[in-house]
Amino acid sequence: MKRSYYLCAILSLWLFGSRAVAHPHVWVTFHSEVLYAADGTMTGVRHAWTFDDMFSAYALQGISHAKKGQYTREELAPLAQTNVESLKEYAYFTYARTDSKKLKFADPVDYWLEYKNAALTLHFTLPLKAGASAKAVQIEVYDPTIFVDFEFAKDKPVSLSGAPQCAVTYDLPHQPTATEQARLSQLDIVPLDSSSTYGETFANKIQVKCP
Protein backbone atom coordinates (compact mmCIF):
# COMPACT_ATOMS: atom_id res chain seq x y z
CA MET A 1 0.00 0.00 0.00
CA LYS A 2 1.20 3.53 -0.60
CA ARG A 3 3.45 5.12 1.99
CA SER A 4 0.85 7.82 2.72
CA TYR A 5 -1.77 5.14 3.36
CA TYR A 6 0.63 3.35 5.68
CA LEU A 7 1.57 6.48 7.60
CA CYS A 8 -2.08 7.29 8.33
CA ALA A 9 -2.60 3.74 9.54
CA ILE A 10 0.50 3.82 11.71
CA LEU A 11 -0.47 7.11 13.34
CA SER A 12 -3.80 5.55 14.22
CA LEU A 13 -2.11 2.49 15.66
CA TRP A 14 0.22 4.60 17.78
CA LEU A 15 -2.71 6.52 19.15
CA PHE A 16 -4.85 3.50 20.03
CA GLY A 17 -2.34 0.88 21.07
CA SER A 18 1.24 0.17 22.06
CA ARG A 19 1.76 -2.76 19.70
CA ALA A 20 3.37 -0.69 16.97
CA VAL A 21 6.50 0.48 18.78
CA ALA A 22 8.91 -0.72 16.08
CA HIS A 23 8.81 -2.39 12.70
CA PRO A 24 6.68 -4.12 11.62
CA HIS A 25 3.42 -2.22 12.13
CA VAL A 26 0.87 -4.35 10.28
CA TRP A 27 0.49 -8.12 10.64
CA VAL A 28 -0.85 -10.38 7.90
CA THR A 29 -1.61 -14.10 8.06
CA PHE A 30 -1.79 -15.55 4.58
CA HIS A 31 -2.59 -18.56 2.44
CA SER A 32 -1.23 -18.89 -1.09
CA GLU A 33 -2.39 -21.18 -3.87
CA VAL A 34 -0.06 -21.73 -6.82
CA LEU A 35 -2.03 -22.03 -10.06
CA TYR A 36 -1.25 -24.30 -12.99
CA ALA A 37 -2.79 -24.76 -16.45
CA ALA A 38 -3.75 -28.11 -17.96
CA ASP A 39 -0.45 -28.25 -19.89
CA GLY A 40 1.55 -28.10 -16.63
CA THR A 41 2.69 -24.49 -16.81
CA MET A 42 2.44 -22.24 -13.78
CA THR A 43 0.00 -19.40 -14.47
CA GLY A 44 -0.11 -17.39 -11.24
CA VAL A 45 -0.69 -17.20 -7.50
CA ARG A 46 -3.95 -16.76 -5.61
CA HIS A 47 -3.56 -15.05 -2.23
CA ALA A 48 -5.75 -14.66 0.85
CA TRP A 49 -4.29 -12.12 3.29
CA THR A 50 -5.93 -11.67 6.70
CA PHE A 51 -4.98 -8.40 8.41
CA ASP A 52 -4.65 -8.00 12.17
CA ASP A 53 -7.74 -6.73 13.98
CA MET A 54 -6.28 -3.33 14.83
CA PHE A 55 -5.38 -2.52 11.25
CA SER A 56 -8.71 -3.92 10.05
CA ALA A 57 -10.58 -1.61 12.42
CA TYR A 58 -8.64 1.38 11.12
CA ALA A 59 -9.15 0.47 7.46
CA LEU A 60 -12.93 0.19 7.96
CA GLN A 61 -13.32 3.70 9.30
CA GLY A 62 -15.70 5.65 7.07
CA ILE A 63 -16.88 2.60 5.11
CA SER A 64 -20.68 2.74 4.71
CA HIS A 65 -22.50 -0.48 5.59
CA ALA A 66 -26.14 -1.44 6.09
CA LYS A 67 -25.80 -3.74 9.10
CA LYS A 68 -23.79 -2.96 12.22
CA GLY A 69 -20.69 -5.12 12.48
CA GLN A 70 -21.22 -6.59 9.01
CA TYR A 71 -19.75 -5.64 5.64
CA THR A 72 -20.70 -7.15 2.31
CA ARG A 73 -18.31 -7.72 -0.56
CA GLU A 74 -20.05 -4.92 -2.45
CA GLU A 75 -19.65 -2.46 0.44
CA LEU A 76 -15.95 -3.31 0.65
CA ALA A 77 -15.33 -3.18 -3.12
CA PRO A 78 -13.92 0.40 -3.19
CA LEU A 79 -11.51 -0.43 -0.37
CA ALA A 80 -10.42 -3.62 -2.15
CA GLN A 81 -9.68 -1.62 -5.29
CA THR A 82 -7.68 0.93 -3.31
CA ASN A 83 -5.69 -1.87 -1.70
CA VAL A 84 -4.65 -3.62 -4.89
CA GLU A 85 -3.87 -0.35 -6.68
CA SER A 86 -1.68 0.77 -3.79
CA LEU A 87 0.13 -2.56 -3.60
CA LYS A 88 1.44 -2.22 -7.16
CA GLU A 89 4.29 0.01 -5.97
CA TYR A 90 5.48 -2.89 -3.82
CA ALA A 91 5.08 -5.60 -6.47
CA TYR A 92 2.21 -7.00 -4.37
CA PHE A 93 4.86 -8.26 -1.92
CA THR A 94 5.13 -11.35 -4.13
CA TYR A 95 8.29 -12.42 -5.97
CA ALA A 96 8.81 -15.57 -8.02
CA ARG A 97 11.71 -17.09 -9.87
CA THR A 98 13.00 -20.24 -11.48
CA ASP A 99 16.61 -21.36 -11.43
CA SER A 100 17.32 -19.20 -14.46
CA LYS A 101 15.10 -16.13 -14.29
CA LYS A 102 12.70 -13.95 -12.33
CA LEU A 103 9.03 -14.29 -13.17
CA LYS A 104 6.88 -11.22 -13.77
CA PHE A 105 3.30 -10.82 -12.58
CA ALA A 106 0.52 -8.89 -14.25
CA ASP A 107 -1.94 -6.73 -12.30
CA PRO A 108 -4.29 -8.55 -9.88
CA VAL A 109 -7.62 -9.99 -10.97
CA ASP A 110 -10.57 -11.41 -9.05
CA TYR A 111 -9.84 -9.25 -6.02
CA TRP A 112 -12.27 -8.73 -3.16
CA LEU A 113 -12.38 -8.12 0.60
CA GLU A 114 -14.07 -10.27 3.22
CA TYR A 115 -14.86 -9.21 6.81
CA LYS A 116 -15.07 -12.00 9.36
CA ASN A 117 -14.20 -12.36 13.06
CA ALA A 118 -13.25 -8.66 13.30
CA ALA A 119 -10.62 -9.00 10.57
CA LEU A 120 -10.37 -8.10 6.90
CA THR A 121 -9.13 -10.66 4.39
CA LEU A 122 -7.98 -9.53 0.97
CA HIS A 123 -8.43 -12.15 -1.75
CA PHE A 124 -6.72 -11.64 -5.10
CA THR A 125 -5.06 -13.51 -7.94
CA LEU A 126 -1.73 -12.51 -9.49
CA PRO A 127 -1.45 -13.92 -13.03
CA LEU A 128 1.98 -14.41 -14.54
CA LYS A 129 2.62 -12.32 -17.63
CA ALA A 130 3.90 -15.52 -19.26
CA GLY A 131 3.35 -19.07 -18.06
CA ALA A 132 6.35 -20.79 -16.46
CA SER A 133 7.18 -24.33 -17.48
CA ALA A 134 10.19 -24.76 -15.16
CA LYS A 135 10.31 -27.87 -13.01
CA ALA A 136 11.24 -25.81 -9.94
CA VAL A 137 9.76 -22.45 -8.90
CA GLN A 138 10.34 -20.46 -5.73
CA ILE A 139 7.85 -17.83 -4.56
CA GLU A 140 8.67 -15.36 -1.81
CA VAL A 141 6.24 -13.20 0.12
CA TYR A 142 7.63 -10.28 2.10
CA ASP A 143 7.53 -6.51 2.46
CA PRO A 144 10.83 -4.86 1.37
CA THR A 145 10.20 -2.03 3.87
CA ILE A 146 9.22 -4.40 6.72
CA PHE A 147 6.15 -2.29 7.54
CA VAL A 148 4.12 -5.45 7.11
CA ASP A 149 4.90 -8.77 8.75
CA PHE A 150 3.70 -11.80 6.78
CA GLU A 151 3.06 -15.12 8.49
CA PHE A 152 1.89 -18.37 6.93
CA ALA A 153 -1.57 -19.50 8.02
CA LYS A 154 -1.38 -22.41 10.42
CA ASP A 155 -4.06 -24.38 8.56
CA LYS A 156 -2.96 -25.38 5.05
CA PRO A 157 -0.72 -22.34 4.37
CA VAL A 158 0.09 -23.28 0.75
CA SER A 159 -1.60 -25.40 -1.90
CA LEU A 160 -1.50 -26.22 -5.59
CA SER A 161 -4.31 -25.95 -8.13
CA GLY A 162 -4.16 -27.94 -11.37
CA ALA A 163 -0.68 -29.36 -10.74
CA PRO A 164 -0.92 -33.14 -10.25
CA GLN A 165 2.41 -34.85 -9.51
CA CYS A 166 3.97 -31.58 -8.33
CA ALA A 167 5.00 -31.14 -4.71
CA VAL A 168 4.88 -27.92 -2.69
CA THR A 169 6.83 -27.09 0.47
CA TYR A 170 7.42 -23.90 2.39
CA ASP A 171 10.03 -22.34 4.68
CA LEU A 172 9.27 -20.02 7.58
CA PRO A 173 11.02 -16.64 7.66
CA HIS A 174 14.47 -16.24 9.12
CA GLN A 175 14.28 -15.18 12.76
CA PRO A 176 16.17 -11.91 13.39
CA THR A 177 19.42 -12.01 15.30
CA ALA A 178 20.09 -9.52 18.09
CA THR A 179 21.89 -7.27 15.62
CA GLU A 180 19.05 -7.47 13.10
CA GLN A 181 16.47 -6.79 15.80
CA ALA A 182 18.38 -3.67 16.78
CA ARG A 183 18.28 -2.47 13.18
CA LEU A 184 14.56 -3.19 12.96
CA SER A 185 14.01 -1.00 16.01
CA GLN A 186 15.61 1.93 14.16
CA LEU A 187 13.49 1.72 11.02
CA ASP A 188 10.94 4.21 12.33
CA ILE A 189 13.73 6.79 12.34
CA VAL A 190 15.38 5.76 9.07
CA PRO A 191 12.69 3.89 7.09
CA LEU A 192 13.37 1.63 4.13
CA ASP A 193 11.81 2.24 0.71
CA SER A 194 10.36 -0.19 -1.81
CA SER A 195 13.75 -0.60 -3.55
CA SER A 196 15.38 -2.00 -0.42
CA THR A 197 16.46 -5.64 -0.39
CA TYR A 198 16.66 -5.91 3.40
CA GLY A 199 13.13 -7.27 3.78
CA GLU A 200 14.09 -10.29 1.67
CA THR A 201 16.05 -11.52 4.69
CA PHE A 202 12.71 -12.29 6.36
CA ALA A 203 10.89 -13.73 3.34
CA ASN A 204 8.32 -16.50 3.52
CA LYS A 205 9.38 -19.03 0.86
CA ILE A 206 7.26 -21.43 -1.19
CA GLN A 207 8.93 -24.07 -3.34
CA VAL A 208 7.18 -26.06 -6.06
CA LYS A 209 8.90 -29.01 -7.72
CA CYS A 210 7.47 -30.92 -10.66
CA PRO A 211 8.78 -34.06 -12.38
Side-chain angles (χ1 to χ4, degrees):
M1 301 172 191
K2 292 181 179 178
R3 176 67 57 184
S4 59
Y5 183 79
Y6 275 148
L7 289 178
C8 289
I10 301 318
L11 285 173
S12 178
L13 294 177
W14 277 335
L15 288 172
F16 296 106
S18 60
R19 191 179 183 187
V21 295
H23 278 51
H25 295 287
V26 180
W27 287 261
V28 172
T29 302
F30 74 100
H31 166 82
S32 296
E33 184 178 13
V34 188
L35 308 177
Y36 280 78
D39 63 359
T41 59
M42 176 185 164
T43 59
V45 181
R46 182 180 295 124
H47 284 310
W49 294 356
T50 300
F51 295 90
D52 65 88
D53 53 358
M54 190 177 295
F55 185 84
S56 295
Y58 169 79
L60 287 169
Q61 291 183 14
I63 301 296
S64 298
H65 55 292
K67 294 183 179 180
K68 184 177 181 180
Q70 298 181 34
Y71 296 84
T72 66
R73 185 184 300 193
E74 292 73 23
E75 290 168 342
L76 294 172
L79 180 59
Q81 182 175 350
T82 297
N83 284 346
V84 296
E85 290 176 351
S86 300
L87 285 166
K88 186 172 184 176
E89 179 183 354
Y90 296 90
Y92 310 101
F93 300 141
T94 306
Y95 310 86
R97 65 175 182 266
T98 66
D99 290 337
S100 59
K101 65 177 182 179
K102 292 183 179 180
L103 303 179
K104 295 182 179 180
F105 290 103
D107 291 339
V109 297
D110 302 329
Y111 54 84
W112 54 283
L113 273 168
E114 175 186 21
Y115 181 71
K116 186 178 180 180
N117 298 328
L120 284 170
T121 299
L122 177 64
H123 301 264
F124 65 102
T125 298
L126 282 176
L128 285 173
K129 289 186 175 180
S133 58
K135 293 184 178 180
V137 176
Q138 176 163 293
I139 301 164
E140 297 181 344
V141 178
Y142 65 91
D143 178 3
T145 70
I146 318 182
F147 260 70
V148 181
D149 176 87
F150 286 93
E151 179 182 6
F152 282 116
K154 291 180 172 57
D155 182 23
K156 198 177 182 181
V158 297
S159 61
L160 300 177
S161 177
Q165 300 182 341
C166 295
V168 62
T169 59
Y170 63 94
D171 293 329
L172 299 176
H174 159 75
Q175 294 301 306
T177 64
T179 300
E180 290 168 339
Q181 191 63 57
R183 181 178 181 184
L184 290 173
S185 69
Q186 296 300 310
L187 292 183
D188 287 329
I189 302 172
V190 185
L192 302 172
D193 60 34
S194 58
S195 65
S196 171
T197 60
Y198 188 57
E200 188 175 358
T201 306
F202 310 102
N204 299 267
K205 299 179 180 179
I206 301 169
Q207 295 96 14
V208 182
K209 294 185 178 180
C210 300

